């Protein structure tokens, strides 16, 4: 099976679905993490290019930690992702290039503007990717579903839970590879209270979802459309 995670920034995949990615990779599934941006606004350095390259390298190390087969960057500007037909077609191209069975992305009502636009671009491109008259370099493909992840500061209510018990330390290690971002968020998290202790906060949220579903730790997703579910777990 092939899994494609399309996320707005380096560290989003690790925080929201790192355990799920590692679990799928361990059973032999091919996982790709595609970052819309390099997160050049999220750092202490005044040179955005330096921040971007630091964060990209951290994301590559984190992807290796989780067992991702590929970590890629789509070149959108951090903090300025816009919804347009041109950008939607670029995501269609990305989906077709990787031909995934499942796509993971942000929840549409997330408080971060980049997360919201990414969600809308991905879910709309998911539909267009299967249309033969939408012409791109790659052939049409038809992924089975899109699973959206969210954060506790939104109205996100999961319908699908993945047991990540036993993957807690690996997920924490993956997040910790984003050394520059962990430090930045803990100092500049602002209204996002969980950033005060990022790794501990993420672990606590996963433990809460686990308790809700009868396991030690879990990650939650909202399926774009409901269907029989043989995997994602």
């Amino acid at each position: 099976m092939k899994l494609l995670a399309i996320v707005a920034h380096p560290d989003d995949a690790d925080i929201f679905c790192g355990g799920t990615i590692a679990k799928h990779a361990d059973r032999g599934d091919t996982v790709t993490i595609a970052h819309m941006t390099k997160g050049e606004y999220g750092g202490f350095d005044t040179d955005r290019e330096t921040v971007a390259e630091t964060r990209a390298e951290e994301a590559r190390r984190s992807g290796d930690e989780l067992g991702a087969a590929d970590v890629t960057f789509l070149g959108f500007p951090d903090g300025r992702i816009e919804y347009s037909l041109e950008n939607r077609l670029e995501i269609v191209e990305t989906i077709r290039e990787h031909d995934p069975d499942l796509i993971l992305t942000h929840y549409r009502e997330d408080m971060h503007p980049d997360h919201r636009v990414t969600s809308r671009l991905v879910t709309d491109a998911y539909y267009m990717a299967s249309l033969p008259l939408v012409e791109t370099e790659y052939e049409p493909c038809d992924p089975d579903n899109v699973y959206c992840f969210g954060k506790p500061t939104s109205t996100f209510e999961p319908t699908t839970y993945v047991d990540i018990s036993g993957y807690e330390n690996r997920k924490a290690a993956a997040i910790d590879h984003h050394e520059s971002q962990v430090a930045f968020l803990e100092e500049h998290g602002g209204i996002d209270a969980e950033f005060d202790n990022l790794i501990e906060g993420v672990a606590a949220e996963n433990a809460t979802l686990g308790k809700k579903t009868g396991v030690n730790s879990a990650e939650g997703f909202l399926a774009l459309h409901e269907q029989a579910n043989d995997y994602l777990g």
Side-chain angles (χ1 to χ4, degrees):
M1 193 189 82
K2 291 189 287 185
L3 193 71
L4 172 63
I6 304 179
V7 299
H9 312 103
D11 78 8
D12 283 338
D14 316 275
I15 290 171
F16 295 116
C17 56
T20 298
I21 286 172
K23 189 172 184 178
H24 275 267
D26 275 2
R27 75 170 191 182
D29 295 337
T30 300
V31 181
T32 297
I33 305 173
H35 302 84
M36 298 287 285
T37 79
K38 289 185 177 180
E40 62 269 18
Y41 277 173
F44 294 110
D45 200 298
T46 56
D47 179 18
R48 291 200 297 267
E49 185 174 338
T50 299
V51 173
E53 289 311 309
T54 296
R55 295 200 64 190
E57 181 55 36
E58 290 172 345
R60 293 184 187 101
R61 291 199 298 269
S62 176
D64 287 343
E65 182 78 47
L66 296 177
D70 188 21
V71 173
T72 187
F73 302 90
L74 304 183
F76 289 89
D78 186 20
R80 294 153 289 163
I81 304 174
E82 296 182 352
Y83 188 91
S84 67
L85 177 59
E86 179 182 4
N87 288 348
R88 192 200 316 163
L89 288 173
E90 186 166 343
I91 303 305
V92 169
E93 188 84 80
T94 297
I95 293 172
R96 288 179 171 181
E97 176 184 1
H98 296 284
D99 189 21
D101 298 288
L102 295 177
I103 300 170
L104 308 182
T105 197
H106 298 275
Y107 179 55
R108 188 170 290 207
E109 296 182 23
D110 193 291
M111 67 186 299
H112 195 301
D114 280 350
H115 294 186
R116 292 197 302 270
V117 178
T118 296
S119 179
R120 188 179 172 199
L121 286 170
V122 171
T123 53
D124 290 356
Y126 157 74
Y127 172 74
M128 291 185 69
S130 66
L131 303 179
L133 294 182
V134 178
E135 296 183 1
T136 67
E137 179 181 349
Y138 296 94
E139 293 298 314
C141 67
D142 191 15
D144 293 330
N145 210 343
V146 177
Y147 285 89
C148 298
F149 46 74
K151 52 198 296 188
T153 49
S154 75
T155 59
F156 179 66
E157 294 184 8
T159 56
T160 300
Y161 298 87
V162 177
D163 179 4
I164 63 165
S165 302
Y167 286 89
E168 297 94 337
N169 290 341
R170 192 155 148 203
K171 175 172 179 169
I175 296 173
D176 204 38
H177 281 300
H178 299 276
E179 182 178 357
S180 68
Q181 185 67 356
V182 170
F184 178 79
L185 287 174
E186 289 183 347
E187 183 168 329
H188 292 84
I191 60 173
D192 290 336
E194 73 268 29
F195 291 149
D196 291 342
N197 295 284
L198 177 61
I199 293 175
E200 293 86 349
V202 170
E205 175 64 19
N206 293 153
T208 298
L209 293 178
K211 185 175 182 180
K212 182 177 180 179
T213 53
V215 298
N216 289 330
S217 186
E219 291 172 340
F221 301 87
L222 181 63
L224 188 62
H225 56 83
E226 297 298 333
Q227 61 183 26
N229 202 27
D230 291 331
Y231 37 78
L232 196 68

